[in-house]
């Protein structure tokens, strides 16, 4: 914790994600990219390579749309893997500084 003087109180603790320490925000952004990329990639891969989404579409009665899943799922998988790679690259770059 960092102590900062303020007009209203003599000393108050500053939260880790405050505007005073921008390095924490950069690390949080790379961590968020890694989480979104990893979770999205796993979920999209499960939907791509297992019949989970086909069963769900059949259950909902919209199984006619199964033929179009490849047009959506493969680019979505690529986007999540790119987000994961960007997050890992930013984290490695920030830690080397």
């Amino acid at each position: 914790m960092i102590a900062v003087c303020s007009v209203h109180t003599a000393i108050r603790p500053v939260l880790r994600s405050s505007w005073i320490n921008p390095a924490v925000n950069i690390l949080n952004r790379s961590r968020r990219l890694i989480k979104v990329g990893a979770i999205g990639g796993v979920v999209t891969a499960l939907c791509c390579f297992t019949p989970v989404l086909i069963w769900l579409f059949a259950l909902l009665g919209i199984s006619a749309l199964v033929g179009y899943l490849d047009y959506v799922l493969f680019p979505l998988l690529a986007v999540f893997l790119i987000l994961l790679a960007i997050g890992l690259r930013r984290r490695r770059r920030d830690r080397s500084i």
Side-chain angles (χ1 to χ4, degrees), residues 69-90:
L69 286 177
D70 291 340
Y71 297 121
V72 175
L73 290 176
F74 286 125
L76 193 62
L77 180 62
V79 167
F80 283 128
L81 291 179
I82 289 170
L83 285 177
L84 178 64
I86 290 171
L88 289 172
R89 185 172 179 211
R90 279 188 183 178

